[in-house]
Amino acid sequence: IGYPLILINFKAYSEASGKRGLQLAKVAEKVSKETGITIAVAPQLTDLAFIASQVEIPVFSQHVDDVPPGSYTGHVTLEAVKDAGAVGTMVNHSERRVRADQVDVIVKRARSLGLTTVVCTNTPEVTAAMAALGPDMVAIEPPELIGTGIPVSKAKPEVVTSSVELVKKVNPNVKVLCGAGITVGEDVAAALRLGTVGVLLASGVVKAKDWEKAILDLISPIIKK
Ligand code: G3P
């Protein structure tokens, strides 16, 4: 994974489901190739293997369970998302919370499988706690700003800076992303200024009429000239 990182979460949006999910991933790949910026996607789980087989950009799972392969109907294992072609997984999104003890198991098992983990959090304190588990990244997202178009990097910069500060103390190897309400390049630039290595976003791209234009706008401040 390269940084700065733009991670696009397709959530359960119909705009990015099935073939439309593949189209969005292809657009992200095109922009990434043309600009050299790392753009990763987290498609819906039902599309994960299909999309991962069709694009060269990093593909993440949106969620995994803490169980090993075996007799666990309806669960998603780390091994399965790896087999599907994912390079890693998000865990503990505010729309799909996972208990801290389960996050611990997932982070440790992911490491042994060579999968990258992005643990989502809601406050600086939870960010610090999750950083202690040693994921590759934490992603601080105040839930009340998700989907609002009001960027965390502008509305709550102190939440981002205190998360960055606490993570430095707890586990300096863990990288920090921020998300919620990120829609334009200015929001990405602000996030990086606050000490993050990138952003996690969804609606700003998925719900945009022109995906390519939306992604290009997002990365405009970080394109190497
Ligand atoms: O996972 C990213 C997400 O929760 C933020 O959503 O729509 O505010 O970019 P959005």
Side-chain angles (χ1 to χ4, degrees), residues 133-206:
L133 305 178
D136 297 281
M137 290 172 247
V138 287
I140 168 75
E141 301 197 305
E144 67 279 11
L145 295 177
I146 291 177
T148 62
I150 302 167
V152 57
S153 49
K154 288 184 139 184
K156 298 210 163 171
E158 70 287 354
V159 169
V160 180
T161 47
S162 38
S163 295
V164 169
E165 284 306 309
L166 286 169
V167 170
K168 255 184 217 152
K169 283 185 201 148
V170 172
N171 190 341
N173 297 323
V174 178
K175 296 185 167 64
V176 182
L177 301 175
C178 70
I182 306 280
T183 61
V184 292
E186 207 182 317
D187 308 338
V188 175
L192 296 174
R193 273 200 305 274
L194 296 172
T196 70
V197 299
V199 296
L200 171 59
L201 86 159
S203 55
V205 169
V206 175

Side-chain angles (χ1 to χ4, degrees), residues 7 9 11 13 90 93-95 120 141 145-149 179-182 200-204:
L7 175 52
N9 175 8
K11 300 199 173 183
Y13 285 125
M90 295 164 51
H93 192 279
S94 71
E95 294 152 9
C120 300
E141 301 197 305
L145 295 177
I146 291 177
T148 62
I182 306 280
L200 171 59
L201 86 159
S203 55

Side-chain angles (χ1 to χ4, degrees), residues 98-115:
V98 172
R99 287 197 328 254
D101 63 300
Q102 296 172 324
V103 175
D104 188 32
V105 169
I106 290 165
V107 165
K108 287 175 178 145
R109 295 191 63 245
R111 198 179 305 131
S112 69
L113 290 164
L115 289 169

